[in-house]
Amino acid sequence: MQMSFRWYGTSDPVSLDYIRQIPNMKGIVSAIYDIPVGEVWPLEKIQELKQQVEDKGLELSVIESVPVHEDIKLGKPSRDKYIENYKQTLRNLGEAGIPVVCYNFMPVFDWTRSDLNYELEDGSHALIFDEEEVNKMDPRTLSLPGWDESYTAEEMNQLMDEYKEVDTEKLWENLEYFIKAIMPTAEEADVKMAIHPDDPPYSIFGLPRVITNKEALNRFINLYDSKYNGVTACVGSYASDPKNDAVAMLKDMLEKDRVNFVHARNVKLTGEGKSFEESAHLSKMGSIDMYEVVKALSDHGFEGSIRPDHGRMIWGETGKPGYGLYDRALGATYLNGLYEAVQKAGK
Ligand code: DNO
Ligand code: MN
């Protein structure tokens, strides 16, 4: 497996100069952030990003994410135009030699938490999801970091209304339409697609969600039978539903050769409904056995990229919630240690 790290581009306070000092760091996970959702990513911009990364001796190994326009998720007539643009972006990424693209199919909101700066017992700060708090939130009036800030209140209201017509089955249909349309291009361009699970993996705010559990992952990979139609195994997201066995889901996808990217982080289910805290990576800090995660990757000879997902804010660091340097670097180091031990024990 190739250790990698998310980088938000030149404005990220966690610079490539810092990232390359993390032991065994090879890959960079990034994106182009200044192109409106739905438009084509120009080849020159992709090449420029790749060059910045390679100048520091690193490799641009995954694009996370190429966002999917809401019209595609809603199944509106305009989706065909946006799908054509998506295909062109994939061709450009392929031409630049980018091997993997991560994306998601969550309506309106990407990942959702109730508090992005919750103080844990040890004084560190973490992202948490308190079910009761989230149930009280009104997405039409509230804005949280991590959400698309580009909607006005009016647009948000309209979007939420449009989704009233889209239930889970309709969203599956729209996903199927999208997948069948883009996959031949992804294959031709030699870009492996890796769908990120819904985070958390169940419906919130009455919006439908599809990439939620083991059954859903299997339904998804069967939409188009190709290694290029794969998943981002985000064990932290999988495990946020107490009903899910994240390790079993990872193993299932590894057995079927559909894991194209891995996100590793731990969550601690607090025992109250679906509430959880994002914990340090170490197995005993949370609800996921990270040894089993790394062992499964090693047993299957996983050669793709893995990145430490969110980290806590520690040692006084401030910045983008979940994306500081220190705790994610500790996560990478822990994963490296597990991997070395698993590999040596297997010899
Ligand atoms: C949060 C991330 C997500 C992820 C997208 C992938 O930190 O895990 O925002 O990048 O859902 O499309
Ligand atoms: Mn993730």
Side-chain angles (χ1 to χ4, degrees):
M1 63 186 201
Q2 189 201 54
M3 193 54 66
S4 62
F5 212 75
R6 194 173 200 176
W7 178 61
Y8 280 98
T10 43
S11 64
D12 192 335
V14 183
S15 66
L16 292 175
D17 284 318
Y18 288 173
I19 295 172
R20 68 197 285 245
Q21 292 172 359
I22 302 166
N24 194 39
M25 197 49 72
K26 304 253 162 52
I28 288 297
V29 177
S30 193
I32 295 173
Y33 296 98
D34 59 359
I35 296 181
V37 176
E39 286 183 20
V40 178
W41 292 15
L43 180 59
E44 309 74 60
K45 279 208 160 223
I46 300 166
Q47 280 164 337
E48 192 190 318
L49 175 67
K50 191 169 182 247
Q51 196 58 50
Q52 283 168 350
V53 169
E54 289 177 357
D55 284 348
K56 299 292 179 183
L58 296 159
E59 192 187 311
L60 185 56
S61 41
V62 179
I63 292 295
E64 178 176 355
S65 310
V66 181
V68 178
H69 196 278
E70 293 300 327
D71 288 8
I72 297 177
K73 296 179 225 169
L74 284 162
K76 289 169 118 177
S78 46
R79 69 177 154 181
D80 291 323
K81 172 182 84 191
Y82 291 117
I83 287 175
E84 283 314 309
N85 288 354
Y86 206 97
K87 283 159 65 178
Q88 189 54 43
T89 296
L90 293 183
R91 283 185 206 105
N92 291 351
L93 290 168
E95 195 173 334
I98 309 294
V100 176
V101 166
C102 170
Y103 67 105
N104 71 69
F105 213 74
M106 285 178 254
V108 196
F109 307 107
D110 196 323
W111 54 283
T112 304
R113 300 289 182 270
S114 54
D115 189 346
L116 303 179
N117 197 30
Y118 179 80
E119 188 167 333
L120 300 174
E121 246 168 60
D122 61 5
S124 62
H125 291 84
L127 290 78
I128 66 160
F129 183 94
D130 181 319
E131 196 181 8
E132 224 175 285
E133 287 297 317
V134 173
N135 287 342
K136 277 191 266 171
M137 283 160 40
D138 178 1
R140 289 173 190 251
T141 54
L142 229 153
S143 167
L144 276 183
W147 292 9
D148 192 328
E149 306 277 330
S150 56
Y151 299 117
T152 62
E154 204 177 306
E155 283 166 343
M156 178 62 88
N157 266 319
Q158 200 197 328
L159 204 50
M160 292 296 286
D161 285 342
E162 283 180 311
Y163 271 104
K164 285 187 182 155
E165 308 300 316
V166 180
D167 61 8
T168 309
E169 274 315 302
K170 187 79 193 145
L171 189 61
W172 269 111
E173 257 174 52
N174 297 343
L175 175 58
E176 179 168 1
Y177 185 94
F178 172 68
I179 290 297
K180 289 191 167 148
I182 63 158
M183 274 313 152
T185 307
E187 287 174 324
E188 231 173 79
D190 197 16
V191 176
K192 295 200 179 75
M193 302 300 291
I195 197 164
H196 191 280
D198 303 341
D199 181 7
Y202 37 81
S203 167
I204 47 163
F205 308 136
L207 292 165
R209 289 198 150 181
V210 282
I211 308 298
T212 52
N213 55 27
K214 190 170 173 186
E215 201 190 357
L217 292 182
N218 280 284
R219 180 170 177 181
F220 173 76
I221 61 171
N222 288 329
L223 293 178
Y224 191 91
D225 188 15
S226 161
K227 164 80 180 155
Y228 286 82
N229 183 35
V231 304
T232 295
C234 177
V235 288
S237 298
Y238 292 162
S240 318
D241 185 338
K243 291 203 284 287
N244 282 343
D245 178 340
V247 173
M249 288 166 76
L250 168 68
K251 283 185 182 163
D252 184 37
M253 286 300 110
L254 283 167
E255 267 152 32
K256 292 165 181 161
D257 197 22
R258 295 296 185 97
V259 178
N260 287 339
F261 184 30
V262 176
H263 282 184
R265 69 178 155 85
N266 213 338
V267 289
K268 187 166 132 196
L269 297 163
T270 52
E272 287 159 44
K274 287 175 169 156
S275 300
F276 63 86
E277 294 170 6
E278 295 196 359
S279 60
H281 281 71
L282 203 75
S283 302
K284 71 175 181 192
M285 307 304 285
S287 305
I288 306 174
D289 188 332
M290 296 303 260
Y291 166 81
E292 290 296 340
V293 168
V294 173
K295 183 159 187 310
L297 296 172
S298 169
D299 287 350
H300 286 86
F302 176 70
E303 285 178 352
S305 294
I306 178 171
R307 72 168 178 85
D309 208 351
H310 312 159
R312 300 160 303 143
M313 281 296 167
I314 61 173
W315 303 337
E317 191 179 20
T318 53
K320 196 175 169 62
Y323 286 95
L325 169 63
Y326 305 141
D327 202 39
R328 284 190 298 150
L330 290 178
T333 294
Y334 173 61
L335 295 166
N336 282 330
L338 283 177
Y339 190 70
E340 181 177 341
V342 165
Q343 290 262 303
K344 287 190 173 159
K347 280 195 181 131

